[in-house]
Amino acid sequence: MFLAKHQEHLINLHVLPREEYQRIYELGQKGKLICPVCGRLLKLLMSITKPPMFIHTGSVTDENCEAKSQSLLKQKDNTREAAAGGFKLPQSRSISDGSQTPSPKWKGPRQAKVLDSFQQANEPSLEVMKGITMNRAQYQAVKAEEQSVLVLAGAGSGKTRTLTARAAYLLREKNVPPSAIMLVTFTVKAAKEMKERMAALYGLTMKELNQIVIGTFHGIFYKMLMHHDRERWDGRNLLKWDWQREQLIKQAGRERGLDEKDFPYDQALQQISFWKNSLLEPGQIKPQDKWEEDALFLYRRYEESKQENSRFDFDDMLVQCLALLRENPDVLEQYQHRFQHFLIDEFQDINKVQYEIMRKMAGEDASVFAVGDDDQSIYAFRGSDPAYLLQFEKDFPGSSAIHLSTNYRSSHAIVASANKVIDQNKTRYAKKMDPFFDNGKKPLFFFPYDEEEEATLIVNDMKEKVANGEKPSDFAVLYRTHTMGRAIFERLSQSSLPFTVEKESVSFYDRRMVKSLLAYLRLSVNPDDVQALGDLLFSLFLKQSVLTEVKGISIMEDCSVLDALLKANGVLAFQKKKLQEIVPLFKTLKDQPPVEAIEAVEKKMGFGDFLKKRGNEGNAMEKGSDDLKDLKVIAKKFTTAKELLEHADHMSALAASVKKDGKMEGDGVRLMTIHRAKGLEFKHVYVLETVDGSIPHDYSLEAARNGDFSVLEEERRLLYVAMTRAKEELLLSVPLYRRGRRAAPSRLLSPVLPG
């Protein structure tokens, strides 16, 4: 039915503005909607596949309610009633933010454009070793006689099985000594799993496995450094934790006059790591802007400080290993003589320093068996570049490329859609994956109003599927950046579904900009909130030392810390004048709807000007201005500042408990960034916010506008990785609005997005 009652006012779904659906849905969840006919409780059905409608809660049904409710419509005059407090609106007007754009209507889901018909792959099973059969391409890779081989292993094509079978084949069939084999992976977990697989499938003994050099780039090359100079590379000198590295660059930052709480030191460390893995020393770098100038200063001082104190970091394990091989021909010859075969996993993720080390050690005689997929190269921020994979045949003369083209993981329609998307990239090996099975399900696009409704639709869809026998662990929700997972985290935390989330992620409400914005509201509710005052000082361009003075004044003169701020001496004249203008405004915020209060902070109290003066806002991926837009979206759900603050505190505490004791770790729905999902697979996958600005990210669109399309191609690879995580069902969300503004469907999906 399409009518409900809230506080004696009728809600008519036929005329209710689209942006109100989420609010009405939450009223129903709180038991505040009733049937206008029978008086029993109603709730708003929000589903990916069905249009919104009111239904009786529980098992209560009444077929007469729908028919009788229609007569109520005939009794209405030329006004229509909506639900936010029961206000009336003339029939000729529509609810909007002052624009003339009509409220969008509900749009049903649409299937991806998949024209390719499914043809069952008829691949013979060939025995590669006694009792071990493989398809033709895998067989050719394992038994390849060429000196070096590049195995282009697409998503779900059995790359790990092929890699481990190659190692076993060399030992069993070619009688290669295990000590002459080096197998390199990118994670400790992958190395462990490969050892276990080789023992279980191929009957290799632990003695043989322990003689093979199996490990990560860092693990193997660090052992080499230790072997040649144990004192210098003593583990006690390792800067093992991020906080240790941050200590060094923060010390350099103080020399530079950088604000310790404002400058993005985590991003600076990432940039330094990128430069080092790209083999760029400080003297070789030409900074492009003020931020890179600061980062370069930190890089130079960071390296000097490490050298002065005989310290090293993880990047040094690679850079210095390459230096060892370059500067000591005898050492290089020793390793070249020992190792005859190099097997490298995830070759598309290799960076310059790793690539150069492998080329040095392989020399002209050794065999390199590299397994990777240029379409899944998504770590450019670490220095990875698919170009190394693309130039493999040139750098290793006489090598061959073998394509593992059968995808055993995903259904026909998912594989066909992913093929169409990635085929738009120009810098790649021309190839396509062939599906092994078909389940008749095409990828589904659905169109929520915004991020809040998106999360509601997804959780309701999962709950419906779980009720029909699916397990929570069958589901994964993937997103481009951590902040995009905020709404789904909140909705799942309010549901009965168990879920897991990356422990590395920071609660949205604990982000620097968000805490500062909320601090204005906190001080409006409690003018004596010292913590809140400390959180917003930097947005007023005041030093933290002012807080100490303000606390003293508050005690001595028995006034609130907010009032004491006006009496502080540690502020400049122009700052004092600004404070005199904005401090009285704090008292007005608590009486305004939260979204209006946030806009007042932005426009009347100077927060918007503060963001503009910060320039690049600290991080190109997650900007402070984006945090402001996200908070406005959240604020629309609440009627008072107190409600919003209570919600923020609850969610922040919940996120902290997850990180502390892992309450939500286990057999549940998986929430993660697309980067973290690489290498994993799930029965059902939801991809959030597949719109321009999200994926592809804003910064890639800006790069493309400036003529650099390489970043946009990486975004397409990232989307390809997300799509190919799904085994049976792929659902892509295309919200109509994102961060309060109309959104455009992702241009990356144009080959498969229905009209």
Side-chain angles (χ1 to χ4, degrees):
M1 59 190 294
F2 297 96
L3 286 182
K5 211 175 202 181
H6 171 61
Q7 296 181 350
E8 301 305 316
H9 296 286
L10 282 177
I11 303 166
N12 181 0
L13 280 182
H14 288 308
V15 295
L16 184 72
R18 184 79 168 80
E19 55 266 37
E20 293 293 316
Y21 281 23
Q22 180 63 32
R23 190 183 306 189
I24 301 306
Y25 172 82
E26 293 186 6
L27 287 174
Q29 296 300 108
K30 296 174 183 176
K32 295 185 178 182
L33 299 179
I34 62 171
C35 177
V37 177
C38 68
R40 289 174 289 195
L41 291 178
L42 293 178
K43 62 182 179 180
L44 179 60
L45 174 69
M46 295 280 280
S47 166
I48 286 178
T49 57
K50 301 169 188 171
M53 65 182 70
F54 292 113
I55 59 174
H56 291 82
T57 59
S59 59
V60 177
T61 58
D62 191 332
E63 296 178 359
N64 294 324
C65 287
E66 172 62 28
K68 291 179 180 178
S69 67
Q70 298 302 315
S71 64
L72 294 175
L73 292 175
K74 299 177 182 178
Q75 302 172 18
K76 292 177 64 64
D77 55 19
N78 67 337
T79 64
R80 60 187 170 95
E81 301 180 77
F87 57 83
K88 291 186 178 182
L89 197 66
Q91 186 72 30
S92 60
R93 288 177 55 196
S94 65
I95 294 179
S96 67
D97 293 328
S99 69
Q100 299 303 310
T101 305
S103 180
K105 301 297 183 183
W106 182 81
K107 184 177 180 180
R110 300 186 182 182
Q111 294 181 333
K113 293 188 297 184
V114 182
L115 302 178
D116 301 344
S117 59
F118 173 67
Q119 293 183 344
Q120 174 72 52
N122 185 20
E123 294 194 47
S125 293
L126 304 173
E127 189 173 64
V128 68
M129 287 179 286
K130 186 176 180 180
I132 304 297
T133 60
M134 302 184 123
N135 68 34
R136 185 177 298 280
Q138 293 169 338
Y139 176 90
Q140 290 173 345
V142 171
K143 303 195 75 165
E145 294 296 329
E146 292 86 350
Q147 182 172 329
S148 291
V149 180
L150 174 63
V151 181
L152 296 167
S157 63
K159 74 172 181 65
T160 302
R161 185 165 185 256
T162 303
L163 189 68
T164 53
R166 173 69 173 182
Y169 174 78
L170 292 174
L171 292 170
R172 287 287 182 261
E173 305 295 325
K174 291 296 186 178
N175 298 314
V176 174
S179 60
I181 298 174
M182 178 185 290
L183 198 165
V184 188
T185 70
F186 271 80
T187 67
V188 174
K189 180 182 178 184
K192 180 182 177 184
E193 289 176 350
M194 286 187 186
K195 268 191 175 182
E196 293 171 349
R197 181 175 294 213
M198 285 190 283
L201 292 181
Y202 312 119
L204 297 180
T205 66
M206 288 309 299
K207 181 179 179 181
E208 289 174 307
L209 289 171
N210 288 335
Q211 289 182 62
I212 300 174
V213 176
I214 303 178
T216 64
F217 279 101
H218 289 87
I220 293 172
F221 299 144
Y222 177 54
K223 287 179 181 177
M224 289 168 56
L225 291 171
M226 283 276 287
H227 176 72
H228 293 283
D229 193 342
R230 182 170 295 274
E231 184 176 347
R232 179 184 176 187
W233 298 101
D234 189 312
R236 289 173 294 184
N237 296 326
L238 171 64
L239 296 171
K240 187 176 182 180
W241 309 108
D242 285 344
W243 65 264
Q244 294 174 303
R245 301 172 67 213
E246 280 196 12
Q247 268 188 341
L248 291 186
I249 64 168
K250 282 181 178 179
Q251 182 179 339
R254 287 190 285 272
E255 296 176 28
R256 184 84 172 173
L258 301 177
D259 188 308
E260 187 166 313
K261 292 196 173 183
D262 189 25
F263 186 81
Y265 284 101
D266 56 342
Q267 188 186 1
L269 282 173
Q270 182 174 299
Q271 183 64 51
I272 291 170
S273 183
F274 172 84
W275 281 328
K276 293 179 71 172
N277 284 296
S278 301
L279 295 176
L280 291 172
E281 297 181 0
Q284 299 172 292
I285 298 166
K286 295 180 180 179
Q288 300 298 309
D289 52 36
K290 174 65 166 59
W291 187 86
E292 282 199 2
E293 288 178 9
D294 290 334
L296 178 56
F297 177 85
L298 299 180
Y299 179 20
R300 185 177 289 109
R301 289 294 296 116
Y302 175 68
E303 293 300 306
E304 291 171 353
S305 179
K306 283 197 291 107
Q307 189 171 3
E308 291 167 3
N309 295 283
S310 299
R311 307 299 297 273
F312 64 93
D313 60 22
F314 287 103
D315 294 327
D316 292 323
M317 295 177 182
L318 304 182
V319 175
Q320 294 304 316
C321 186
L322 178 58
L324 173 71
L325 299 176
R326 282 176 171 175
E327 296 166 9
N328 298 275
D330 293 343
V331 172
L332 176 60
E333 185 179 352
Q334 173 189 338
Y335 286 111
Q336 288 178 338
H337 179 72
R338 173 180 172 179
F339 293 107
Q340 301 171 29
H341 294 272
F342 296 92
L343 285 69
I344 309 171
D345 190 20
E346 303 286 8
F347 196 71
Q348 76 281 346
D349 294 332
I350 203 166
N351 59 38
K352 185 174 181 63
V353 64
Q354 293 164 342
Y355 189 69
E356 292 300 326
I357 291 174
M358 296 313 304
R359 286 186 65 192
K360 276 281 183 188
M361 294 186 68
E364 297 181 358
D365 300 323
S367 166
V368 176
F369 188 86
V371 181
D373 181 10
D374 53 317
D375 291 334
Q376 297 186 70
S377 178
I378 59 174
Y379 293 110
F381 62 90
R382 296 180 186 170
S384 300
D385 191 336
Y388 300 122
L389 185 147
L390 296 171
Q391 69 190 43
F392 182 89
E393 291 177 274
K394 176 183 175 182
D395 290 341
F396 295 91
S399 62
S400 66
I402 297 173
H403 181 207
L404 305 187
S405 61
T406 302
N407 183 311
Y408 295 95
R409 173 192 299 153
S410 306
S411 68
H412 158 64
I414 293 172
V415 173
S417 297
N419 280 339
K420 283 189 174 183
V421 168
I422 199 61
D423 192 49
Q424 303 302 303
N425 270 2
K426 307 299 182 187
T427 308
R428 65 185 289 263
Y429 272 100
K431 57 188 181 299
K432 78 181 185 72
M433 297 299 293
D434 299 315
F436 186 71
F437 72 95
D438 184 22
N439 63 358
K441 287 186 178 180
K442 294 182 178 181
L444 197 68
F445 292 93
F446 62 102
F447 307 90
Y449 178 76
D450 63 5
E451 305 94 319
E452 295 295 324
E453 189 179 294
E454 175 183 65
T456 294
L457 293 177
I458 290 173
V459 171
N460 286 348
D461 193 61
M462 289 191 289
K463 288 167 72 174
E464 183 178 335
K465 288 183 170 79
V466 168
N468 290 326
E470 301 285 15
K471 297 180 294 185
S473 58
D474 290 333
F475 301 93
V477 182
L478 310 182
Y479 33 84
R480 178 66 182 81
T481 61
H482 288 299
T483 53
M484 294 175 192
R486 189 270 315 162
I488 191 71
F489 174 89
E490 295 184 2
R491 211 67 77 248
L492 276 170
S493 70
Q494 296 161 352
S495 77
S496 57
L497 293 175
F499 67 97
T500 71
V501 66
E502 297 172 72
K503 289 191 174 184
E504 292 84 354
S505 61
V506 176
S507 167
F508 172 78
Y509 303 98
D510 289 327
R511 288 172 60 82
R512 176 81 169 176
M513 290 299 135
V514 178
K515 286 181 71 173
S516 185
L517 278 162
L518 291 177
Y520 284 82
L521 303 189
R522 294 186 191 280
L523 281 167
S524 75
V525 173
N526 176 16
D528 244 345
D529 192 329
V530 176
Q531 180 63 51
L533 183 60
D535 287 338
L536 64 75
L537 282 181
F538 86 114
S539 68
L540 299 174
F541 297 101
L542 297 176
K543 296 180 179 179
Q544 286 294 312
S545 58
V546 172
L547 185 61
T548 303
E549 182 186 0
V550 165
K551 288 192 290 186
I553 294 172
S554 173
I555 295 171
M556 295 294 293
E557 301 195 19
D558 193 22
C559 62
S560 69
V561 291
L562 189 58
D563 289 333
L565 186 58
L566 289 172
K567 303 177 183 182
N569 294 317
V571 297
L572 301 175
F574 78 92
Q575 293 174 321
K576 183 158 286 191
K577 182 180 179 182
K578 183 67 177 177
L579 290 175
Q580 290 170 345
E581 293 174 2
I582 68 172
V583 167
L585 298 178
F586 276 92
K587 298 176 183 178
T588 67
L589 299 179
K590 67 178 179 181
D591 298 321
Q592 300 179 56
V595 69
E596 292 180 15
I598 291 170
E599 287 177 348
V601 172
E602 176 192 5
K603 297 172 182 176
K604 295 180 181 179
M605 301 178 75
F607 199 87
D609 293 334
F610 159 69
L611 288 178
K612 291 176 183 177
K613 290 177 182 178
R614 293 186 80 233
N616 67 4
E617 305 182 86
N619 192 317
M621 289 297 295
E622 298 183 340
K623 298 180 179 179
S625 57
D626 292 339
D627 288 343
L628 173 61
K629 294 169 190 172
D630 287 336
L631 192 58
K632 286 182 182 179
V633 172
I634 299 165
K636 289 179 181 178
K637 296 169 52 179
F638 303 95
T639 56
T640 68
K642 187 171 182 291
E643 288 178 356
L644 172 59
L645 293 173
E646 287 175 348
H647 173 78
D649 289 342
H650 175 62
M651 288 300 152
S652 184
L654 186 61
S657 70
V658 172
K659 294 180 76 171
K660 181 180 179 181
D661 54 31
K663 284 182 181 178
M664 294 173 190
E665 292 290 343
D667 188 26
V669 178
R670 298 287 295 276
L671 306 184
M672 64 181 67
T673 62
I674 300 172
H675 282 97
R676 290 299 298 269
K678 186 170 172 293
L680 303 177
E681 58 184 42
F682 305 92
K683 191 173 181 181
H684 308 277
V685 169
Y686 303 84
V687 185
L688 300 188
E689 298 184 32
T690 57
V691 295
D692 280 353
S694 169
I695 182 164
H697 196 281
D698 278 325
Y699 86 99
S700 68
L701 296 175
E702 181 64 29
R705 284 190 285 269
N706 293 327
D708 179 6
F709 293 94
S710 64
V711 188
L712 196 60
E713 291 214 343
E714 173 144 338
E715 291 291 294
R716 190 176 280 109
R717 294 194 293 269
L718 194 62
L719 180 58
Y720 175 79
V721 167
M723 296 173 73
T724 53
R725 299 311 94 196
K727 296 195 288 186
E728 297 184 13
E729 186 179 39
L730 173 65
L731 300 100
L732 301 124
S733 172
V734 187
L736 305 178
Y737 283 80
R738 178 174 181 263
R739 290 176 168 154
R741 295 185 178 181
R742 190 75 191 218
S746 172
R747 65 191 65 194
L748 307 180
L749 288 167
S750 58
V752 294
L753 187 66

